[in-house]
Amino acid sequence: LIYLFNSNITLGKNGVPVAENFRLEQSTIADTVQEGQVRVKTLYLSVDPYMRCRMNEDTGSDYLQPWQLSEVADGGGIGVVEESKHHNLAKGDFVTSFTWPWQTAAILDGGLLQKLVPQLVNGRLSYFLGAAGITGLTALLGIREKGHVAAGANQTMVVSGAAGACGSLAGQIGRLEGCSRVVGIAGTDEKCSILVQEMGFDAAINYKKGDVAKQLRELCPGGVDVYFDNVGGDISDTVISQMNQNSHIILCGQISQYNKDVPYPPPLPPDIEKIQKERNITRERFLVLNYMDKQEASVLQLCQWIQEGKLKVR
């Protein structure tokens, strides 16, 4: 079974993706595996926010290619090798790729696949697409490279989109790296409860209830030192207005803006931009792919935390 991008409906930069933007087709793959190739069965596919950008003719970035109409969609995936003609891969190996096709079986170039060690994540293979994959790396490297977190510095971190795949890890990693207070912002009472009771956040704000600015002031009486920003828009404007002098924004995502025709990162409103400049708040574009020299050590750190139960994953 193959998911294909629909050639009959174009989305454009403004608009919300719908099921009709895709179609499902049944097909067969080649019988023969060529030298250097492997035949794989797909086990997991990761559906991520950045994919919205790939539904535009211009993705807005050099490293993301647009999905082509009537071609198979692709993204992060994991599978098991069923037949191999690649010297480094054998039948039964688990493998991953950032350009895995959305199909149940495929013949892939073995040289473009990374072999996985399930024991590193207690056998939970899907973690290699999440907590021990690009998602976890984004949280960890974002905090280390852009957050300027220092143990013993009594820093307060706020995370927006805190119950998401990246945000829920970022809050926990902020604590592990040395933040003394971590506050999350999410969209339901259930999510807020999970953040506090399971993920170890000090507090969480349901932004759909009450006055967010007032709650932030109460929960962060010393102001905000580090802001892990997943959402942008009004929520981020509210947080930035309560950030301290020489504080830091980790610009991870701006999901509230992805269905709009705006540049990335979206410009701040004039009054918020003034606050940012006057308080010398850093807000730099962050791209995890720029730090791939630190990938191996960072993945091992994430796996160690998972094994030790210090990093909770849902």
Side-chain angles (χ1 to χ4, degrees):
L1 292 178
I2 302 177
Y3 272 113
L4 286 179
F5 196 63
N6 195 313
S7 60
N8 300 320
I9 300 176
T10 54
L11 185 58
K13 285 193 173 184
N14 289 293
V16 178
V18 293
E20 287 74 26
N21 292 129
F22 298 85
R23 72 172 181 264
L24 185 65
E25 288 191 358
Q26 190 162 357
S27 182
T28 56
I29 61 173
D31 294 330
T32 309
V33 176
Q34 305 292 334
E35 197 63 38
Q37 294 181 326
V38 294
R39 180 165 53 84
V40 293
K41 176 186 177 184
T42 300
L43 299 176
Y44 299 99
L45 298 171
S46 188
V47 183
D48 302 295
Y50 79 86
M51 291 175 169
R52 173 61 184 86
C53 306
R54 299 190 68 189
M55 298 176 79
N56 298 333
E57 195 169 352
D58 176 10
T59 64
S61 62
D62 300 333
Y63 64 95
L64 282 181
Q65 297 301 311
W67 278 336
Q68 298 299 312
L69 297 177
S70 288
E71 289 190 8
V72 183
D74 68 297
I78 290 174
V80 60
V81 175
E82 295 190 318
E83 182 182 349
S84 176
K85 287 193 176 176
H86 187 274
H87 64 91
N88 198 36
L89 296 172
K91 182 178 180 180
D93 283 347
F94 296 105
V95 290
T96 187
S97 166
F98 198 60
T99 56
W100 196 283
W102 284 12
Q103 54 193 69
T104 53
I107 293 175
L108 303 175
D109 180 348
L112 300 178
L113 300 174
Q114 181 183 354
K115 196 189 301 188
L116 298 174
V117 182
Q119 292 86 345
L120 288 175
V121 287
N122 299 328
R124 295 177 177 268
L125 274 173
S126 66
Y127 283 16
F128 284 117
L129 293 180
I134 287 288
T135 312
L137 284 171
T138 300
L140 177 58
L141 290 170
I143 288 167
R144 287 184 170 175
E145 300 296 331
K146 298 294 184 183
H148 302 273
V149 172
N154 197 31
Q155 291 164 300
T156 294
M157 173 186 278
V158 170
V159 184
S160 58
C166 195
S168 62
L169 298 170
Q172 297 178 78
I173 292 169
R175 168 83 75 214
L176 289 165
E177 290 289 287
C179 285
S180 59
R181 186 161 186 78
V182 179
V183 176
I185 302 175
T188 70
D189 289 342
E190 181 189 11
K191 289 177 182 179
C192 291
S193 175
I194 289 168
L195 290 173
V196 174
Q197 294 179 16
E198 293 184 28
M199 306 289 190
F201 284 61
D202 291 287
I205 296 168
N206 181 348
Y207 70 87
K208 295 180 181 176
K209 283 186 174 180
D211 185 332
V212 174
K214 181 172 180 287
Q215 293 177 77
L216 261 182
R217 280 191 295 272
E218 292 170 353
L219 294 171
C220 307
V224 178
D225 301 297
V226 185
Y227 173 38
F228 198 99
D229 185 5
N230 285 305
V231 303
D234 294 342
I235 293 295
S236 289
D237 296 345
T238 301
V239 177
I240 294 169
S241 69
Q242 297 190 32
M243 293 187 74
N244 293 326
Q245 194 75 24
N246 303 319
S247 54
H248 304 281
I249 299 169
I250 302 164
L251 195 60
C252 178
Q254 301 281 278
I255 198 166
S256 71
Q257 308 299 304
Y258 287 172
N259 293 322
K260 303 173 185 177
D261 184 4
V262 293
Y264 188 88
L268 296 170
D271 57 328
I272 303 299
E273 186 177 16
K274 184 182 178 188
I275 290 172
Q276 183 209 342
K277 289 179 177 176
E278 287 177 348
R279 298 181 192 170
N280 192 34
I281 302 169
T282 62
R283 183 181 183 256
E284 303 162 338
R285 185 168 184 171
F286 168 69
L287 179 59
V288 70
L289 298 177
N290 289 342
Y291 302 95
M292 284 299 97
D293 58 316
K294 302 179 180 181
Q295 176 184 5
E296 187 175 348
S298 299
V299 168
L300 289 175
Q301 174 66 86
L302 292 164
C303 290
Q304 182 183 335
W305 281 336
I306 290 167
Q307 289 173 341
E308 292 172 350
K310 293 179 178 177
L311 203 56
K312 304 287 196 306
V313 187
R314 279 177 70 95

